[in-house]
Amino acid sequence: GSHTIHHVDMGQVLNESVVQAQQELQISQLVLQQRFGIPIQQFCYPAGEPFNHGTVAEQQQIVSLLAQDGYIGATTDPGATGTTQDSTAPFQLLRIRVDGRSSLQEFEGSMPW
C-alpha cells in the first residue's frame, strides 16, 4: 500500500495545504501502480497521523481525500493495535507493527492476546 511520498504527518500537511496533502496521496499511489502494474487501494498513515493526535475534522478530511483517490482502506501506525477490525471504519484499521527491530520473542510479547 501507499505511505505518502515524503513520509509526512498527514494532519500537518492537510492544515498547510489540501493540494499538497492530495499530492502526497495521489503521487505515491501512482508511482506504486506504475512500478507494480496493480491497483494500489490501501494506505498506511505515517506515524498514524492524523489518527493519533489530529482532530476529528482532519481525520474526516483525510478519509475523504483517500476515498476520492480510489483507496478502499487504510491502517493506523503506531498507536492502537489489534486483531479485531471494524469493517464499518475501513480507513481506520488497526495494525500490528512489524518492522524487524524486535526479536521474535519481543514481537510475540507485544501481541494483544
Side-chain angles (χ1 to χ4, degrees), residues 2 8 15-16 18 23-24 28-29 31 51-52 60 62 71 76 79 82 84 86 88 93 110 112:
S2 176
V8 294
N15 286 321
E16 293 171 8
V18 174
Q23 288 176 342
E24 287 286 339
S28 63
Q29 181 186 44
V31 167
F51 287 89
N52 284 338
Q60 291 172 338
I62 198 70
Y71 289 96
T76 60
T84 303
D86 182 355
T88 64
L93 298 174
S110 74

Side-chain angles (χ1 to χ4, degrees), residues 30-42:
L30 180 62
V31 167
L32 291 171
Q33 288 178 157
Q34 289 174 340
R35 288 193 182 163
F36 296 110
I38 60 171
I40 300 299
Q41 299 174 308
Q42 296 294 323

Side-chain angles (χ1 to χ4, degrees), residues 58-74:
E58 290 168 340
Q59 294 166 9
Q60 291 172 338
Q61 190 170 12
I62 198 70
V63 165
S64 177
L65 293 177
L66 286 164
Q68 288 173 31
D69 292 338
Y71 289 96
I72 61 171

Side-chain angles (χ1 to χ4, degrees), residues 61-104:
Q61 190 170 12
I62 198 70
V63 165
S64 177
L65 293 177
L66 286 164
Q68 288 173 31
D69 292 338
Y71 289 96
I72 61 171
T75 57
T76 60
D77 176 32
T81 62
T83 56
T84 303
Q85 301 298 337
D86 182 355
S87 63
T88 64
F91 290 95
Q92 290 178 259
L93 298 174
L94 303 177
R95 105 173 225 222
I96 296 171
R97 184 179 204 126
V98 179
D99 65 11
R101 291 181 281 187
S102 302
S103 69
L104 180 57

